[in-house]
């Protein structure tokens, strides 16, 4: 089975990475989600972040950061290939808040690696230089 293509928003503030926990899940994930057929990565990121957090991202600010690939949490061994991207909210957009299936937000550091799935651990490692110890 091919890797599941997803997008994740890299939003670092005050040395911490924004993560979300979906209702009924025990781990925190990068905000974002699956890329729908015919959708670009940037379009998927803008759509998912608005659905999950109520934040309107500026599509012109979306830029690639890196790819994190690892077995997906709760996916029976299927690999997730998460295209992590930076993007800025449009002026006047609300602060991130749980919406739709999101139960909780958290601002994580590398010390929180035990709270995220394998792809999230890769993200925390990649961002270790800009995250608080």
């Amino acid at each position: 089975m091919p890797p599941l293509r997803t997008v994740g928003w890299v939003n670092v503030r005050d040395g911490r990475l924004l993560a979300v926990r979906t209702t009924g899940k025990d781990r925190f994930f990068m905000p974002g989600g699956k890329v729908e057929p015919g959708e670009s990565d940037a379009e998927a990121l803008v759509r998912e972040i608005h659905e999950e957090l109520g934040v309107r991202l500026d599509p012109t600010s979306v830029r690639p950061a890196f790819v994190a690939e690892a077995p997906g949490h709760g996916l029976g061994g299927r690999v997730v290939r998460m295209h992590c991207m930076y993007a800025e909210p449009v002026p006047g957009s609300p602060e991130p808040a749980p919406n739709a299936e999101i139960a909780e937000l958290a601002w994580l550091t590398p010390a929180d690696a035990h709270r995220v799935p394998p792809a999230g651990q890769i993200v925390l490692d990649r961002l270790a230089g800009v995250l608080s110890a």
Side-chain angles (χ1 to χ4, degrees), residues 16 32 59 63 113 121:
R16 298 180 185 283
R63 62 197 187 285
Q121 292 173 9

Side-chain angles (χ1 to χ4, degrees), residues 49-55 97-105:
I49 298 309
H50 185 253
E51 288 173 5
E52 292 183 355
L53 301 173
V55 175
N99 201 17
E101 73 272 12
I102 303 304
E104 181 181 7
L105 304 181

Side-chain angles (χ1 to χ4, degrees), residues 36-37 40 42 46 95 99 103 106 116 122:
E36 300 294 337
S40 71
V46 169
E95 284 294 308
N99 201 17
V116 299
I122 293 169

Side-chain angles (χ1 to χ4, degrees), residues 9-52:
W9 185 27
V10 178
N11 183 6
V12 175
R13 187 183 297 173
D14 299 325
R16 298 180 185 283
L17 175 68
L18 179 62
V20 297
R21 186 180 60 76
T22 305
T23 301
K25 302 284 184 177
D26 63 346
R27 299 270 192 247
F28 283 88
F29 297 84
M30 296 281 296
K34 297 176 192 159
V35 178
E36 300 294 337
E39 194 174 45
S40 71
D41 289 351
E43 290 168 336
L45 186 73
V46 169
R47 176 184 53 76
E48 286 281 353
I49 298 309
H50 185 253
E51 288 173 5
E52 292 183 355

